[in-house]
């Protein structure tokens, strides 16, 4: 969401004559767009801002702005701690950024804008695409959250749930496609609630509209709260060809006792039922999740239940976080805090378990043919542990299940200098690595004779 918001800031400021530069020393304006989800992210903001003080001393005309969730949370306290900051603007002030910067330019005194509103202000959103934004783009469809999980700061810093109008979303995606986008990820804290308050269309209806936008190859979304995952949304994976076969379904814990204390409003059993339903409709769907380890009161047994859930679901990938206290979040006042070394141990055990599962899942894909959206040239790969035939990897993209796939055009009928960025290619997987897959393009004629198998496409 911050990536999308930062893009909005850049587009608004471009209309005001600002352009991006490649180093802080060259800048007349520096904006730090901040994240408050965990304590560590917040600490990073303050150390970054601290480093800017000497730059400001050398160049007093430099404007330093702080936006996003930490700005929303801390407000004018940021000015007390960092007197060289000129502007603090919260999550609901992004659409007014141009005016706020102008105010600082004219008045040359600090400005704080952290009021929150009940409705989303789309009037200043720049729907037009910017330059070089890549093949895959984020589009925020709603802001805020009404769920109040007890560990989470989001409802306090992003406010109540509010949805954007479907026509504006579609218009924005059409313009993105016109400027080279082939994939969009629709963003919201809980996309299942999209449009409910405002009596707009439902999320599955929005998905269907987006999937029919001409020129768009793929659609993804995140995040879906397990308690609200509807049968209608599950069916979208059967009905919408362009919807990628990947579902991010954050569970946070495998223990019912902890889920209750987190105020997640589902149990391990109802969560597993939803996973089963998803797999019944779409057997090869990739499923990923978020976990918090060391939530206050999480016993060794609770943690064992988390490990057991991971073994049962066999996720494709996981994000694992150590619990940290957040301002206003009720869990900050819960007793039975878990010591940091215990949190570290649980984090590593969970990551290790997932790594074993990921390797197994990647190996099972060797020999399959995966549809890949090419994102660009692959970064220089560490070649030392690869055999000769894999050493000329050139291109990188993602499979429908969101796995990174690298491939070379050597020994295919593609010209070595053809730009494949944005193309949908069919790649036969030849090698599984821990974080990516490697393969070779399969030519068009072969593609026509493919049959769909459980883990992808097999050549007939
Ligand atoms: N501590 C640790 N992790 C957190 N998350 C949210 N709040 C906290 C917190 N206080 C994690 C959750 C969420 C992800 C975006 O961040 O797992 O799904
Ligand atoms: Fe935070 Fe829970 Fe809302 Fe997700 S659903 S943003 S974890 S309060």
């Amino acid at each position: 969401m911050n990536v999308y918001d930062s893009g909005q800031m850049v587009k608004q400021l471009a209309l005001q004559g600002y352009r991006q530069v490649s180093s802080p020393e060259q800048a007349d304006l520096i904006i730090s767009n901040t994240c408050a989800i965990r304590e560590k992210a917040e600490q990073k903001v303050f150390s970054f801002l601290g480093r800017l003080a000497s730059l400001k001393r050398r160049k007093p005309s430099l404007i330093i702005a702080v936006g996003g969730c930490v700005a929303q949370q801390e407000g004018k306290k940021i000015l007390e701690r960092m007197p060289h900051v000129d502007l603090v603007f919260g999550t609901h002030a992004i659409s007014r950024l141009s005016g706020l910067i102008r105010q600082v330019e004219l008045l040359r005194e600090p400005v704080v804008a952290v009021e929150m509103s009940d409705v989303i202000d789309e009037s200043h959103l720049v729907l037009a695409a910017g330059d070089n934004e890549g093949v895959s783009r984020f589009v925020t469809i709603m802001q805020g959250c009404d769920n109040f999980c007890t560990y989470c700061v989001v409802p306090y810093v992003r406010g109540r749930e509010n949805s954007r109008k479907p026509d504006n979303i579609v218009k924005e995606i059409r313009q993105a496609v016109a400027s080279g986008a082939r994939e969009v990820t629709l963003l919201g804290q809980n996309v299942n609630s999209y449009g409910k308050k405002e009596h707009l269309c439902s999320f599955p209806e929005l998905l269907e509209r987006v999937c029919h936008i001409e020129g768009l190859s793929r659609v993804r979304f995140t995040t879906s709260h397990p308690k609200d995952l509807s049968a209608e949304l599950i069916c979208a994976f059967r009905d919408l060809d362009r919807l990628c076969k990947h579902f991010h379904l954050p569970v946070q814990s495998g223990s019912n006792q902890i889920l209750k204390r987190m105020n997640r409003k589902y149990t391990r059993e109802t969560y597993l039922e939803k996973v089963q339903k998803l797999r019944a409709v779409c057997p090869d769907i990739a499923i990923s999740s978020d976990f918090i380890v060391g939530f206050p009161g999480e016993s060794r047994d609770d943690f064992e239940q988390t490990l057991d859930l991971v073994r049962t679901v066999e996720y494709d990938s996981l994000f694992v976080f150590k619990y940290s206290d957040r301002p206003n979040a009720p869990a900050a006042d819960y007793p039975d805090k878990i010591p940091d070394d215990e949190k570290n141990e649980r984090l590593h055990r969970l990551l290790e378990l997932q790594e074993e599962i990921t390797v197994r899942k990647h190996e099972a894909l060797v020999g399959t043919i995966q549809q890949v959206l090419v994102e660009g040239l692959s970064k220089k790969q560490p070649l030392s542990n690869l055999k000769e035939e894999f050493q000329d990897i050139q291109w990188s993209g993602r499979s429908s299940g969101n796995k990174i796939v690298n491939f070379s055009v050597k020994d295919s009928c593609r010209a070595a200098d053809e730009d494949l960025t944005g193309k949908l290619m069919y790649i036969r997987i030849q090698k599984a690595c821990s974080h990516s897959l490697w393969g070779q393009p399969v030519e068009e004629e072969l593609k026509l004779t493919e049959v769909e198998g459980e883990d992808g496409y097999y050549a007939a």
Side-chain angles (χ1 to χ4, degrees):
M1 208 162 264
N2 271 12
V3 171
Y4 177 82
D5 288 345
S6 298
Q8 269 301 319
M9 294 175 199
V10 168
K11 287 180 207 174
Q12 273 188 45
L13 291 170
L15 299 175
Q16 210 172 319
Y18 281 97
R19 65 182 171 82
Q20 282 180 285
V21 289
S22 51
S23 74
E25 288 72 23
Q26 293 169 281
D28 299 309
L29 163 65
I30 297 176
I31 301 176
S32 179
N33 187 17
T34 63
C35 173
I37 195 81
R38 284 170 297 276
E39 203 179 354
K40 206 167 170 188
E42 192 178 323
Q43 285 163 356
K44 276 193 203 164
V45 176
F46 286 103
S47 70
F48 176 71
L49 289 174
R51 289 202 299 276
L52 294 182
S54 63
L55 207 58
K56 176 92 173 185
R57 272 196 299 276
R58 274 182 275 141
K59 185 176 177 180
S61 64
L62 172 68
I63 297 174
I64 299 178
V66 185
C69 294
V70 177
Q72 188 65 52
Q73 181 184 289
E74 299 296 309
K76 65 176 190 315
K77 281 191 270 172
I78 292 182
L79 298 180
E80 287 156 21
R81 211 169 143 183
M82 299 279 157
H84 54 289
V85 167
D86 300 286
L87 169 64
V88 177
F89 63 105
T91 52
H92 288 199
I94 296 169
S95 58
R96 293 188 286 127
L97 180 61
S98 288
L100 293 168
I101 298 282
R102 220 168 280 133
Q103 207 177 324
V104 175
E105 285 169 345
L106 288 173
L107 301 178
R108 284 284 152 191
E109 59 183 43
V111 174
V112 178
V114 288
E115 313 79 42
M116 292 191 118
S117 94
D118 288 340
V119 284
I120 204 163
D121 176 14
E122 288 195 67
S123 59
H124 292 84
L125 275 180
V126 184
L127 301 185
D131 301 331
N132 304 323
E133 286 189 291
V135 165
S136 183
R137 318 256 174 107
F138 292 124
V139 176
T140 293
I141 61 165
M142 59 197 296
Q143 68 176 23
C145 184
D146 292 349
N147 284 313
F148 294 92
C149 302
T150 54
Y151 51 80
C152 187
V153 76
V154 169
Y156 310 98
V157 291
R158 290 235 175 220
R160 297 289 65 72
E161 252 168 40
N162 261 301
S163 300
R164 289 181 61 196
K165 298 197 172 51
D167 285 353
N168 284 343
I169 296 168
V170 168
K171 189 170 166 199
E172 182 170 346
I173 298 173
R174 283 213 183 101
Q175 300 201 11
V177 170
S179 75
R182 292 294 169 265
E183 176 182 275
V184 286
T185 303
L186 307 179
L187 300 176
Q189 309 296 347
N190 182 15
V191 293
N192 294 291
S193 321
Y194 174 82
K196 285 199 176 138
K197 257 186 202 168
E198 298 83 357
H199 307 291
L200 303 169
C201 63
S202 71
F203 181 62
E205 283 164 350
L206 177 71
L207 262 185
E208 191 174 347
R209 266 190 82 177
V210 171
C211 281
H212 285 101
I213 291 175
E214 215 183 305
L216 193 64
S217 308
R218 285 176 163 189
V219 180
R220 301 182 187 274
F221 63 85
T222 196
T223 300
S224 181
H225 193 304
K227 79 176 162 59
D228 297 321
L229 168 52
S230 64
E232 210 188 344
L233 184 56
I234 292 178
C235 287
F237 287 93
R238 182 194 59 205
D239 301 335
L240 300 174
D241 287 346
R242 294 181 186 175
L243 183 61
C244 285
K245 292 177 176 182
H246 172 220
F247 207 107
H248 185 62
L249 196 59
V251 63
Q252 314 297 355
S253 169
S255 151
N256 282 339
Q257 194 236 145
I258 296 297
L259 288 172
K260 196 155 193 226
R261 282 163 66 94
M262 286 177 163
N263 192 31
R264 290 293 285 177
K265 301 194 176 98
Y266 54 84
T267 61
R268 168 194 179 94
E269 291 75 22
T270 54
Y271 179 88
L272 283 170
E273 247 170 56
K274 298 214 167 156
V275 168
Q276 255 170 14
K277 282 186 184 152
L278 264 174
R279 286 185 168 151
V281 165
C282 186
D284 54 345
I285 196 162
I287 302 180
S288 57
S289 197
D290 292 349
F291 280 87
I292 296 176
V293 294
F295 184 79
E298 184 190 65
S299 66
R300 282 175 177 260
D301 181 56
D302 291 320
F303 180 63
E304 287 303 324
Q305 291 180 47
T306 287
L307 294 174
D308 187 67
L309 183 80
V310 171
R311 282 188 209 104
T312 307
V313 176
E314 297 204 299
Y315 290 103
D316 288 79
S317 63
L318 288 188
F319 294 99
V320 185
F321 308 104
K322 285 194 287 178
Y323 168 80
S324 68
D325 286 340
R326 305 313 299 132
N328 298 312
D333 299 325
Y334 287 5
D336 310 323
K337 294 280 161 60
I338 308 297
D340 203 48
D341 52 354
E342 183 66 32
K343 282 191 217 165
N344 277 329
E345 196 197 312
R346 292 180 192 181
L347 178 89
H348 287 116
R349 278 188 67 195
L350 189 48
L351 287 175
E352 247 168 54
L353 170 62
Q354 182 55 39
E355 231 151 75
E356 276 169 42
I357 298 170
T358 305
V359 166
R360 224 182 306 131
K361 290 213 158 199
H362 279 187
E363 277 167 1
L365 291 174
V366 173
T368 66
I369 295 172
Q370 299 288 320
Q371 186 207 57
V372 172
L373 176 67
V374 184
E375 290 175 4
L377 285 171
S378 68
K379 291 192 208 101
K380 196 92 190 110
Q381 306 295 332
L383 298 175
S384 50
N385 55 352
L386 289 172
K387 290 199 213 104
E388 277 276 293
E389 72 256 40
F390 298 112
Q391 287 202 1
D392 63 337
I393 300 301
Q394 292 185 36
W395 296 97
S396 184
R398 277 177 194 265
S399 68
S400 174
N402 210 30
K403 298 193 163 51
I404 296 170
V405 179
N406 297 311
F407 64 94
S408 146
V409 290
K410 197 180 118 193
D411 302 331
S412 81
C413 65
R414 296 276 177 178
D417 57 355
E418 186 180 349
D419 185 2
L420 301 176
T421 308
K423 293 217 157 53
L424 275 181
M425 305 269 297
Y426 288 82
I427 307 295
R428 187 194 302 279
I429 305 302
Q430 293 173 314
K431 187 178 164 68
C433 303
S434 50
H435 299 288
S436 60
L437 300 165
W438 303 70
Q440 286 282 331
V442 170
E443 301 313 332
E444 300 297 309
E445 310 75 65
L446 181 57
K447 198 183 81 196
L448 294 174
T449 62
E450 280 157 26
V451 289
E452 202 172 338
E454 242 195 32
D455 297 306
Y457 294 84
Y458 293 89

